[in-house]
Amino acid sequence: MQVMKWSALALAVTAGTTQLAFASAQDESKGFLEDSKLSVLNKNYTFYRNFLNNPGGQNYRNETAHGIMADYQSGYTQGTVGFGVDAHGMLGIKLNSGNGTNGTGLMPTGSDGRSQDDYSYAGGAVKARISNTELKYGNLMPANPVFAVGTARLFPGSAEGFQVLSSEIEGLNLEAGHFTSIRDGSASTNRDGRITLSYDFGGIVDAKNVDYLGGSYALSDNFSVTLYGSEFEDVWRQYYGNANYNIPLSDTQALSFDFNIYRTTDKGQSLAGDIDNTTWSLAAAYSIGAHKFTLAHQRVNGDEPFDYLSMDGANSGDSIFLANSVQYSDFNAPNERSWQARYDLNMAEFGVPGLSFMARYITGDDIDGTKMDPNGVYAGNFGGDDEKHWERDLEAKYVVQEGSAKDLSFRVRQATHRATGFDSDLDEVRVIIEYPLSIL
């Protein structure tokens, strides 16, 4: 991949001007058991979505599930090369669901069309480390701009393959991966699930392999850049760039700017059809005391939507690092331009640490779904010319700060979405309660 090679070269040149990193993590290893970590997360999730313009279809979805996730990470054996293992286990329990209200993506669906009463699975990986470079193989949870498993439902997804993480140079983090299958941790227990696309609504495309390479570099405490490249076999090549700049104005005020850009082109057999898409977003934020005000603009330059990872044709992954990818919509339709206004309030400044609020409004227009490849998987999914929509999101979150319930969190998210004929009018509420426990 030419651009991936260019990304690696650029990062290497940057690294060459930087001092070598701090002490080797492997030299400081205490041992396989001595550095082990074990945590358990209890997560209760209620998902309600009401469709307002779905005649003859499912009008609303309403389910509640409880999940228990155990995560074990061993330390590394001592020596020049250290070895270790990671393992995780999940148990999901249905608390509320009906045959006409399921389909939220919280739980797998059985052969009878109903959400399963309970489900469980486990996964793990082996790992090796030299200095500050780790190699992992097995059931992993990558999280980067071009290949990130989903975390928006009960359990995170996972992918089967290799991953290399390296931080040999101070401020420079490099990553590479090769993955062959995926598991949607909430909608399926199948570890050999297909690597699919979020906006291929028919679930037709299956990328047999995914490769990626990239990294981030902090040029200073306030300025960092990121470059990644990936290839979904016979589907696309996708490249990502980011620049993040923070300007402290005083002890209580700051300006920040965040720029993201993706370039996607079809590759090989072009299983998704012709793709020639450049999508970018720019967000500017002003913080003063407890308040933060953000404005963002996002633009899709291409006759296809900006698309990204989906897990076995079910829930989407998280590899969309764009400002206007929000609770329901991604504002990534063909030729779409969108604006966002957001307000965040941190109540710690008013004597209530752990309590925060957020409100945002996003509007998108100029959507044109008439010029896509008629033989591609996106054809017919985005209506006609000059489509538009908007979304309003409200969120309240509280995290217990001390005592026996420390880190217990309560989160309520509400979304309202309205659109012309290409998308749904809906109201949505999510209530998420999480209680993490550190055992080791």
Side-chain angles (χ1 to χ4, degrees), residues 85-120:
V85 297
D86 293 338
H88 56 264
M90 318 289 185
L91 171 63
I93 303 169
K94 180 175 70 176
L95 300 181
N96 174 54
S97 179
N99 196 31
T101 64
N102 62 349
T104 64
L106 287 181
M107 294 166 282
T109 302
S111 57
D112 60 357
R114 298 177 179 270
S115 293
Q116 295 180 3
D117 291 336
D118 58 76
Y119 66 102
S120 61

Side-chain angles (χ1 to χ4, degrees), residues 147-149 182 195-198 232 307-311 316-317 319:
F147 191 78
V149 295
I182 204 163
I195 299 172
T196 51
L197 313 179
S198 288
F232 281 45
D307 204 356
Y308 58 101
L309 173 71
S310 174
M311 301 179 293
S316 294
S319 44

Side-chain angles (χ1 to χ4, degrees), residues 32-267:
F32 184 95
L33 294 177
E34 290 79 359
D35 283 336
S36 290
K37 298 177 182 178
L38 174 63
S39 62
V40 175
L41 175 66
N42 278 275
K43 186 174 185 179
N44 192 280
Y45 203 131
T46 296
F47 188 110
Y48 171 83
R49 180 179 286 173
N50 182 18
F51 292 95
L52 305 179
N53 58 348
N54 194 24
Q58 186 180 12
N59 292 327
Y60 70 98
R61 299 172 183 176
N62 184 13
E63 294 188 297
T64 301
H66 186 82
I68 302 172
M69 174 180 173
D71 182 67
Y72 172 75
Q73 298 177 26
S74 81
Y76 286 91
T77 58
Q78 294 180 321
T80 302
V81 182
F83 298 93
V85 297
D86 293 338
H88 56 264
M90 318 289 185
L91 171 63
I93 303 169
K94 180 175 70 176
L95 300 181
N96 174 54
S97 179
N99 196 31
T101 64
N102 62 349
T104 64
L106 287 181
M107 294 166 282
T109 302
S111 57
D112 60 357
R114 298 177 179 270
S115 293
Q116 295 180 3
D117 291 336
D118 58 76
Y119 66 102
S120 61
Y121 61 89
V126 294
K127 58 187 182 181
R129 182 172 67 185
I130 300 176
S131 185
N132 294 308
T133 299
E134 296 176 289
L135 169 64
K136 298 182 178 183
Y137 170 72
N139 202 226
L140 305 171
M141 300 177 187
N144 62 67
V146 292
F147 191 78
V149 295
T151 58
R153 294 298 191 269
L154 194 62
F155 296 127
S158 58
E160 197 78 13
F162 291 92
Q163 186 179 36
V164 178
L165 304 168
S166 181
S167 55
E168 299 294 342
I169 307 298
E170 186 171 5
L172 177 65
N173 296 299
L174 299 174
E175 179 183 4
H178 171 79
F179 290 92
T180 57
S181 63
I182 204 163
R183 170 161 52 199
D184 185 331
S186 296
S188 173
T189 59
N190 176 24
R191 69 180 299 169
D192 296 322
R194 300 179 306 136
I195 299 172
T196 51
L197 313 179
S198 288
Y199 285 83
D200 170 17
F201 298 133
I204 300 169
V205 172
D206 177 6
K208 302 298 183 182
N209 296 283
V210 171
D211 295 285
Y212 64 80
L213 171 67
S216 62
Y217 180 61
L219 285 84
S220 70
D221 291 341
N222 295 313
F223 184 49
S224 64
V225 295
T226 301
L227 291 171
Y228 270 84
S230 70
E231 182 173 307
F232 281 45
E233 183 181 4
D234 284 326
V235 181
W236 66 47
R237 283 182 176 173
Q238 189 172 82
Y239 315 109
Y240 168 82
N242 168 267
N244 184 274
Y245 186 36
N246 183 60
I247 307 172
L249 301 177
S250 70
D251 291 342
T252 59
Q253 298 183 63
L255 279 173
S256 62
F257 299 91
D258 189 63
F259 176 72
N260 298 279
I261 186 167
Y262 285 91
R263 172 66 177 156
T264 311
T265 58
D266 56 278
K267 165 65 178 171

Side-chain angles (χ1 to χ4, degrees), residues 413-428:
R413 307 179 68 192
Q414 192 277 336
T416 298
H417 183 263
R418 299 292 184 267
T420 52
F422 85 102
D423 205 345
S424 299
D425 290 352
L426 58 84
D427 297 319
E428 179 181 287

